């Protein structure tokens, strides 16, 4: 009975966070469209131009990217890039806003824990990104059809990766609350992770010294898994378990870190 | 119900330490109204932030029903700060709906309507918060603070910026509320609403006790203007 009640309250709170976040963003719809649709398409378009130039000038294979599959590779990378930016960037952006709006205290004094925050915000971001995801996926499916169950598996991988990324964003958000200088340093770490995730280029484009780092980057491994499922390439158990383990670890570490920071330090600079 | 023991807050910077609160002790029973007063910079807001866990004490304890405050205690507090904690991009109703859901208010639509009617802002329920006047925003902030019927209501200058009629009606709500801690510079509010009085100055506790004892000590009636004059004297001492 107690468990059922706690669960009901938790669901209500998570949905309240999601609903509020959607309502906040939906008041001004143009920035939302720009962030979720235009930006990733813009980035993909640059690489599309570069690769089409490559492959029309006697290059046949660039780290597994070929004339036949580079567009589908870019589309998959684009889907993942959308979720990376939304996942890792959502909490920092929201906490910055809430500091400016002086509403962050509402979150801090409320009886909601960091897991509910992660789930509530992740759900809201997923809802906002769903149209973009469907649009890009439809094009990718048209160019390279896959069975429905494979698409379902890919969607599952995207969701757990996304929640892990949101928890990673919570670490950055915690720094935003207590010391914005540290946040800027973490920003570079996020940039490096993004760079080493190979959204729009193959891992072979890195110098050999960077390749092992990129290979063991769990975001890259998630993307690798999705690409290989989509393109019907072989996958190993390591490719499945390694990113899954890391995403679960990120959820635990991200929420624990946020709890530690917000319980130990005062909010600064608002 | 609420007990504060040897509460101290020290802000450390590279060059110096600032003692924002120094050894604060007080107790509040259920149903009592505590006024926290003192000049600017006396540590009133810091104290409120620690009560609501927005800030951590450097030392000392805060107990609720003999248990140290924890995440569970967050259900018990309703807070209205100087920063109103209102989402300007949401409507009045959306703001209240969010906080009602977070605090698991049952029958929330009915509760929201009841509060909006009571505060006479139900005609604004679909207006965006950034389109409201300061006074209406204050009422919304107050509605947000009491939406979950908290056991302890904490208010930072609740009638600031309100017209006299609205201020009076808000005071009436506060008067009838169960347990209230309020910060104010309005000494009339102290004599008309408070049972207990905590006077802070430069982070130190100058006086804590019942308003009745304070008046007896100074041989004044709490309803007389002299009581206010005696309170004013503490500011310049």
């Amino acid at each position: 009975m107690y468990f059922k009640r706690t669960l009901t309250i938790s669901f209500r709170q998570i949905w309240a966070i999601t609903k509020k976040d959607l309502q906040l963003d939906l008041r001004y719809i143009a920035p939302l469209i720009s962030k979720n649709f235009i930006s990733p398409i813009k980035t993909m378009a640059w690489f599309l131009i570069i690769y089409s130039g490559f492959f029309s000038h006697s290059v046949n294979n660039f780290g597994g990217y070929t004339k036949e599959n580079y567009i589908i590779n870019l589309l998959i990378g684009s889907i993942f890039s959308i979720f990376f930016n939304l996942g890792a960037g959502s909490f920092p952006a929201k906490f910055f806003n809430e500091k400016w709006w002086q509403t962050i205290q509402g979150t801090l004094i409320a009886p909601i824990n960091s897991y509910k925050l992660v789930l509530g915000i992740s759900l809201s971001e997923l809802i906002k990104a769903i149209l973009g995801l469907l649009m890009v996926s439809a094009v990718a499916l048209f160019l390279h059809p896959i069975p429905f169950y494979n698409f379902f598996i890919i969607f599952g991988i995207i969701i757990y990766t996304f929640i892990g990324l949101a928890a990673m964003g919570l670490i950055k958000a915690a720094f935003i609350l207590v010391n914005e200088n540290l946040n800027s340093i973490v920003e570079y770490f996020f940039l490096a992770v993004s760079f080493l995730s190979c959204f729009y280029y193959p891992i072979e484009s890195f110098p050999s010294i960077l390749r092992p780092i990129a290979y063991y980057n769990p975001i890259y491994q998630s993307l690798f898994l999705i690409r290989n499922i989509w393109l019907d390439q072989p996958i190993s158990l390591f490719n499945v378990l390694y990113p899954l383990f890391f995403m679960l670890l990120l959820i635990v570490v991200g929420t624990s870190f946020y709890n530690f920071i917000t319980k130990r330090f005062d909010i600064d600079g608002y | 119900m609420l007990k504060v023991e040897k509460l101290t807050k020290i802000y450390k910077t590279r060059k110096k330490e600032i003692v924002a609160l120094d050894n604060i002790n007080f107790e509040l029973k259920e149903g009592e109204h505590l006024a926290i007063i003192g000049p600017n910079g006396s540590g009133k807001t810091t104290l409120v932030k620690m009560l609501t866990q927005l800030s951590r004490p450097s030392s000392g304890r805060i107990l609720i029903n003999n248990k140290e405050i924890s995440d569970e205690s967050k259900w018990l507090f309703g807070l209205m700060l100087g920063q109103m904690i209102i989402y300007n991009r949401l409507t009045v109703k959306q703001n209240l709906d969010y906080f009602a859901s977070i605090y698991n208010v049952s029958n929330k639509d009915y509760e929201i309507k009841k509060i909006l009617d009571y505060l006479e802002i139900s005609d604004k329920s679909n207006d965006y918060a950034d389109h409201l006047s300061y006074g209406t925003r204050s009422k919304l902030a107050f509605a947000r603070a009491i939406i979950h019927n908290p056991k302890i209501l904490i208010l930072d200058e609740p009638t600031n910026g309100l017209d006299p009629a609205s201020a009076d009606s808000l005071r009436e709500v506060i008067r009838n509320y169960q347990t209230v801690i309020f910060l104010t510079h309005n000494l009339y509010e102290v004599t008309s609403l408070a049972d207990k009085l905590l006077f802070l100055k430069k982070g130190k506790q100058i006086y804590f006790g019942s308003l009745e004892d304070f008046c007896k000590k100074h041989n004044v009636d709490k309803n007389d203007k002299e009581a206010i004059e005696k309170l004013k004297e503490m500011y310049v001492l």
Side-chain angles (χ1 to χ4, degrees), chain B residues 2 19 28 46 81-82 84-85 90 93 95-96 118 121 130 133 149 152 161 174 177 182 193 209 226 229 231:
Chain B
L2 175 74
V19 182
L28 191 66
T46 306
L81 275 177
M84 294 184 185
I85 318 180
L90 301 185
K93 202 178 167 194
N95 265 289
L96 293 179
Y118 194 72
I121 51 170
D130 60 344
S133 69
N149 195 19
I152 303 171
I174 297 168
Y177 207 85
F182 64 101
L193 295 176
E226 285 170 333
E229 290 305 317
L231 284 170

Side-chain angles (χ1 to χ4, degrees), chain A residues 17-229:
Chain A
I17 294 165
T18 303
K19 196 169 135 192
K20 183 256 297 180
D21 195 56
L22 287 170
Q23 286 169 336
L24 284 172
D25 274 353
L26 287 174
R27 180 156 176 201
Y28 300 106
I29 203 140
L32 188 69
I33 293 170
S34 170
K35 191 172 93 176
N36 290 353
F37 300 95
I38 313 290
S39 298
I41 288 172
K42 189 178 71 186
T43 314
M44 194 182 79
W46 289 338
F47 284 95
L48 204 63
I49 292 164
I50 295 166
Y51 285 126
S52 66
F54 259 23
F55 295 118
S56 62
H57 286 87
S58 73
V59 177
N60 293 322
N61 193 317
F62 174 57
Y65 279 38
T66 64
K67 196 172 184 175
E68 287 73 33
N69 73 15
Y70 79 95
I71 296 179
I72 185 75
N73 267 310
L74 286 181
L75 284 167
I76 295 168
S78 172
I79 294 170
F80 218 74
S81 168
I82 293 173
F83 281 98
F84 178 85
N85 290 326
L86 284 177
S90 57
F91 269 113
K94 282 172 208 314
F95 276 40
F96 248 129
N97 282 341
E98 295 232 3
K99 262 177 96 172
W100 278 98
W101 298 337
Q102 299 191 328
T103 50
I104 191 70
Q105 300 95 329
T107 302
L108 297 174
I109 62 168
I112 42 175
N113 62 35
S114 45
Y115 286 103
K116 291 174 191 170
L117 268 180
V118 168
L119 290 174
I121 296 296
S122 297
L123 185 59
S124 139
E125 294 297 329
L126 278 171
I127 293 169
K128 279 181 266 178
I130 203 81
L131 275 177
L133 173 73
L134 289 176
M135 193 178 73
V136 182
S137 300
V139 179
L141 281 169
F142 176 74
L143 292 172
H144 196 289
I146 53 169
F148 179 72
Y149 61 85
N150 270 5
F151 186 72
F152 196 71
I153 291 168
I154 287 171
F155 194 64
I157 297 166
I158 286 177
I159 287 179
Y160 76 66
T161 308
F162 184 73
I163 296 173
L165 287 168
M168 188 167 95
L170 200 56
I171 296 174
K172 193 161 173 246
F175 282 127
I176 285 170
L177 291 183
V178 299
N179 191 327
E180 289 182 25
N181 284 327
L182 292 171
N183 162 54
S184 297
I185 296 165
V186 180
E187 181 84 44
Y188 289 109
F189 172 75
F190 275 45
L191 198 68
V193 173
S194 165
F195 177 68
L196 292 168
S197 296
C198 304
F199 297 129
Y200 298 105
Y201 40 82
I203 196 167
E204 285 77 4
S205 56
F206 284 132
S208 56
I209 195 165
L210 282 179
R211 273 183 218 169
I213 304 171
Y215 185 77
Y216 288 105
N217 169 9
I219 315 294
Y220 169 76
Q221 281 296 333
S222 281
L223 180 60
F224 180 86
L225 186 62
I226 290 172
R227 268 194 181 129
N228 282 21
I229 291 173

Side-chain angles (χ1 to χ4, degrees), chain A residues 12-13 98 262-263 266, chain B residues 9 55-56 71 87 102 104:
Chain A
R12 261 188 214 154
Q13 291 178 318
E98 295 232 3
T262 50
K263 283 193 192 308
D266 292 346
Chain B
K9 178 72 181 178
S55 179
R56 317 292 141 200
D71 284 346
Y87 291 97
I102 287 293
N104 193 38

